[in-house]
């Protein structure tokens, strides 16, 4: 086994906090913090991170504090080649579920030295309708933050409160940078923050709209949740037993829109791509990488696999994903060159096969209602407009609805904000599958109106759903989807 050790090259005492991050999960520690570590090592500056968890995992905050905010990131190219990187870019951590620490976090966000607030709170942490992009003003967490603006519980509430303090103090606004997998994540974050601000104070909302930059970004690195088996493997490979260890793939990418009025770290020295427009990168990644992941999450589990790497050992599944990316997604990415898309899809298949990352399909399957509009449905609509086949995507949609129905029948939680509504939909009494699919597609929080009225599409989805219920050979269904490049619309 080949192991490269990279010790930290920074002295945290020489750098102050310039960036607050909300969402202190493994992804943040294995992605943004690694980029900041490299940037500080080369250029210095007051760009250390103060990171916060909002509701869960107080234990992680305590563990980081006990380790003096130093932790290892283990980057696997494959099971035989890895890099152990020591990270010291986080200077402080808070647990905002605790009232005293929430006030400390707000004080840090409100101080002039904090120039940027970044977020990894997953799609559901923005409380936006997946289909319309509007803030869900009737969501209980948002209702609470509207009624208790000085004791917020959401990331949005924390941002609005801190900006209110800065506005009243005459302190320049910080820049808000979403690092979540959403298309146009800067615009969506702005919509969410302004939606909450308007519900609290119209003049504050006007100040935020005029003063706050919301650049978009695209992040890419597979950082799976750690299982007990992962921890044992890391210990066997490296001797590391620290509970704050992060495991990830060697590949890493961050594309950021250049829009930071009060300054930013010199990220480009660490490999960050600073660009005028992120949208081409994010659409390619969402539809190809994340869309493939979602296909694996539902169909892979139905085929009996637990992890991405296991499912990728099946050649039918590999060919199915290749077909999906090259025949159904690539035609929708007109801003990209054909050879670039071919190269990217092959690179993704190799990354998915990485046997050192036991990326659990159940983890990817969470929050499907929030993810699928941008991963599958936006591309599907474009393909329908061209009268082109989307047989693999359609099998994915049928697989997702079947997955939900099986979970509902077994009373197994699916960890989705719309779980109750989705379970009610798939368990209702229908005369046939066409009626069931029609009702599911009328869930406008997920599906766009054009799908609700497409009877040919509903007929195909109902046939696929019936086949899954009849336990027909799923791999044969995947092979058939790959043959469906003819005009079937």
């Amino acid at each position: 086994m080949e192991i490269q050790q990279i010790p930290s090259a920074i002295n945290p005492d020489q750098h102050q906090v310039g960036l607050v991050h909300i969402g202190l999960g493994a992804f943040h520690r294995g992605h943004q913090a690694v980029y900041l570590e490299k940037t500080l090592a080369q250029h210095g500056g007051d760009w250390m991170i103060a990171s916060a968890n909002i509701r869960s995992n107080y234990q992680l905050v305590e563990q980081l504090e006990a380790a003096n905010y130093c932790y290892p990131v283990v980057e696997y190219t494959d099971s035989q080649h890895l890099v152990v990187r020591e990270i010291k870019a986080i200077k402080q951590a808070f647990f905002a579920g605790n009232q005293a620490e929430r006030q400390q976090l707000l004080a840090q966000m409100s101080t002039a030295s904090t120039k940027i607030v970044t977020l990894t709170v997953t799609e559901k942490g923005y409380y936006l309708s997946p289909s319309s992009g509007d803030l869900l003003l009737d969501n209980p967490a948002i209702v609470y933050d509207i009624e208790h603006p000085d004791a917020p519980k959401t990331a949005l509430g924390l941002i609005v409160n801190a900006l209110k303090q800065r506005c009243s103090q005459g302190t320049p606004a910080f820049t808000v940078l979403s690092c979540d997998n959403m298309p146009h994540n800067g615009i969506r974050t702005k919509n969410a923050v302004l939606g909450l601000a308007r519900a609290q104070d119209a003049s504050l909302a006007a100040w935020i709209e005029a003063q706050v930059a919301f650049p978009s970004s695209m992040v890419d690195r597979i950082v799976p949740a750690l299982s007990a088996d992962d921890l044992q493997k890391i210990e066997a490979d490296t001797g590391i037993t620290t509970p704050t260890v992060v495991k990830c793939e060697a590949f890493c990418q961050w594309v950021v829109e250049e829009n930071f009025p009060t300054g930013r770290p010199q990220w480009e020295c660490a490999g960050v791509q600073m660009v005028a427009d992120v949208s081409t990168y994010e659409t390619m990644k969402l539809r190809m990488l994340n869309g493939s992941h979602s296909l694996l999450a539902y169909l892979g589990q139905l085929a009996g696999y637990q992890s991405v790497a296991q499912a990728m050992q099946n050649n039918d599944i590999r060919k199915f994903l290749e077909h999906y990316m090259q025949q159904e997604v690539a035609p929708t990415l007109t801003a990209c060159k054909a050879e670039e898309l071919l190269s990217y899809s092959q690179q993704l298949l190799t990354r998915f096969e990485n046997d050192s990352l036991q990326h659990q399909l159940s983890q990817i399957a969470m929050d499907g209602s929030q993810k699928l509009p941008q991963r599958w449905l936006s591309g599907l609509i474009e393909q329908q407009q061209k009268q082109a086949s989307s047989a693999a995507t359609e099998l994915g949609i049928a697989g997702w609805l079947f997955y939900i129905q099986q979970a509902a029948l077994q009373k197994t939680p699916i960890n989705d904000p719309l779980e109750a509504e989705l379970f009610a939909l798939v368990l209702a009494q229908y005369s046939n599958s066409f009626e069931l699919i029609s009702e599911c597609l009328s869930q406008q929080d997920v599906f766009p109106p054009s799908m609700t009225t497409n009877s040919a599409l509903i007929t195909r989805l109902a046939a696929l759903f019936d086949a899954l219920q009849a336990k027909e050979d799923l791999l044969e269904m995947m092979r058939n989807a790959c043959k469906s490049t003819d005009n079937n619309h």
Side-chain angles (χ1 to χ4, degrees):
M1 178 173 291
E2 195 177 301
I3 302 176
Q4 182 186 1
Q5 302 271 358
I6 303 179
S8 175
I10 64 173
N11 177 354
D13 295 337
Q14 294 175 357
H15 311 281
Q16 298 311 306
V17 169
L19 192 148
V20 168
H21 181 83
I22 302 174
L24 177 56
F27 183 80
H28 163 62
R29 289 179 290 129
H31 187 274
Q32 295 100 8
V34 174
Y35 278 110
L36 242 328
E37 173 79 30
K38 293 177 182 178
T39 305
L40 287 164
Q42 289 193 54
H43 282 284
D46 289 330
W47 292 109
M48 293 286 285
I49 310 168
S51 291
N53 266 341
I54 306 182
R55 286 207 200 93
S56 60
N57 213 342
Y58 185 63
Q59 184 183 25
L60 175 60
V61 174
E62 289 185 319
Q63 288 169 340
L64 278 170
E65 193 176 1
N68 212 15
Y69 303 106
C70 175
Y71 63 92
V73 172
V74 185
E75 303 171 347
Y76 281 86
T77 302
D78 54 44
S79 58
Q80 295 304 308
H81 299 85
L82 55 140
V83 172
V84 179
R85 195 181 292 280
E86 185 182 44
I87 303 298
K88 292 184 179 177
I90 296 175
K91 195 175 182 78
Q92 195 172 8
F94 302 100
F95 177 66
N98 170 310
Q99 188 176 349
E101 290 197 33
R102 181 169 62 232
Q103 292 309 313
Q104 290 173 2
L105 171 62
L106 284 167
Q108 180 63 61
M109 293 171 73
S110 305
T111 187
S113 58
T114 296
K115 303 288 200 301
I116 302 169
V117 172
T118 57
L119 296 155
T120 49
V121 292
T122 75
E123 294 92 340
K124 64 185 172 188
Y126 295 83
Y127 300 94
L128 295 169
S129 162
S131 57
S132 73
D134 295 330
L135 183 66
L136 300 168
L137 289 166
D138 56 353
N139 183 284
I142 295 299
V143 171
Y144 179 91
D145 276 8
I146 292 169
E147 294 173 353
H148 304 87
D150 293 324
K153 288 188 171 178
T154 69
L156 303 177
L158 289 164
I159 288 169
V160 171
N161 181 282
L163 287 169
K164 179 173 73 173
Q165 291 186 48
R166 292 174 82 116
C167 178
S168 65
Q169 295 160 4
T171 305
F174 49 68
T175 297
V176 181
L177 178 64
S178 169
C179 301
D180 279 300
N181 270 324
M182 303 186 297
H184 315 299
N185 57 13
I187 295 167
R188 289 167 72 90
T189 306
K190 183 176 184 176
N191 287 346
V193 169
L194 285 175
L196 181 57
R198 286 189 190 111
Q200 292 180 0
D201 178 344
S203 63
L204 173 63
W207 183 84
I208 291 172
E209 190 157 20
Q211 299 295 326
V212 181
F214 292 87
S216 287
S217 78
M218 187 279 273
V219 297
D220 191 2
R221 177 170 245 189
I222 296 168
V223 186
L226 282 181
S227 66
D229 287 349
D230 286 323
L231 290 169
Q232 284 180 346
K233 174 91 170 83
I234 288 168
E235 183 178 1
D237 289 346
T238 66
I240 292 170
T241 58
T242 173
T244 54
V245 65
V246 175
K247 176 183 181 179
C248 54
E249 65 173 337
F251 179 90
C252 201
Q253 187 179 20
W254 196 7
V255 186
V256 181
E257 181 187 341
E258 185 67 271
N259 183 14
F260 293 84
T262 54
R264 62 166 177 81
Q266 289 183 270
W267 278 314
E268 54 271 64
C269 75
V272 178
Q273 295 164 263
M274 303 301 301
V275 299
D277 183 7
V278 174
S279 57
T280 302
Y281 296 93
E282 66 189 7
T283 306
M284 182 167 79
K285 189 231 168 181
L286 277 161
R287 294 182 185 176
M288 281 205 167
L289 186 152
N290 300 119
S292 295
H293 261 171
S294 288
L295 286 175
L296 281 170
Y298 306 114
L299 301 177
Q301 285 192 91
L302 291 176
Y305 296 102
Q306 267 83 52
S307 76
V308 172
Q310 286 172 355
M312 289 299 292
Q313 290 172 9
N314 185 306
N315 202 39
D316 285 320
I317 292 178
R318 192 185 194 283
K319 284 180 177 172
F320 176 75
L321 293 183
E322 193 169 21
H323 168 88
Y324 162 76
M325 286 193 272
Q326 292 178 13
Q327 303 301 323
E328 298 186 16
V329 177
T332 71
L333 300 171
T334 51
C336 303
K337 296 189 178 81
E339 57 269 26
E340 183 183 10
L341 294 171
L342 181 62
S343 169
Y344 185 62
S345 65
Q346 295 305 313
Q347 183 187 50
L348 287 177
L349 293 169
T350 302
R351 288 168 64 193
F352 293 165
E353 288 167 339
N354 187 339
D355 59 348
S356 66
L357 297 181
Q358 292 306 315
H359 198 181
Q360 297 300 299
L361 297 176
S362 57
Q363 182 193 359
I364 301 167
M366 294 175 183
D367 302 327
S369 69
Q370 311 294 294
K371 295 171 176 174
L372 300 188
Q374 56 262 25
R375 296 185 179 194
W376 291 349
L377 306 184
S378 56
L380 174 71
I381 292 164
E382 288 181 36
Q383 285 288 82
Q384 285 177 340
Q385 288 167 348
K386 297 180 195 166
Q387 306 284 301
S389 168
S390 296
T393 310
E394 289 173 13
L395 180 55
I397 294 168
W400 179 56
L401 295 173
F402 181 68
Y403 167 85
I404 293 167
Q405 188 189 60
Q406 296 306 295
L409 289 168
Q410 293 157 16
K411 297 185 170 59
T412 306
I414 57 168
N415 205 325
D416 191 298
L418 296 181
E419 182 177 301
E421 295 92 323
L422 293 169
F423 277 9
L425 271 172
V426 295
L427 291 178
Q429 293 299 308
Y430 300 104
S431 53
N432 55 41
S433 293
F434 184 93
E435 195 181 331
L436 183 153
I437 298 294
S438 295
E439 282 300 313
C440 289
L441 263 56
S442 68
Q443 177 76 24
Q444 289 194 357
D445 272 349
V446 182
F447 294 100
S450 64
M451 291 180 66
T452 313
T453 55
N454 188 332
S455 59
L457 171 66
I458 295 168
T459 300
R460 291 195 300 276
L461 290 173
L464 293 168
F465 190 87
D466 284 338
L468 291 170
Q469 282 198 310
K471 296 204 166 33
E472 288 187 21
D473 184 345
L474 178 56
L475 296 175
E476 180 64 26
M477 292 170 73
M478 288 183 176
R479 288 192 288 272
N480 288 336
C482 294
K483 296 171 189 169
S484 296
T485 47
D486 55 326
N487 184 334
N488 63 0
H489 289 250

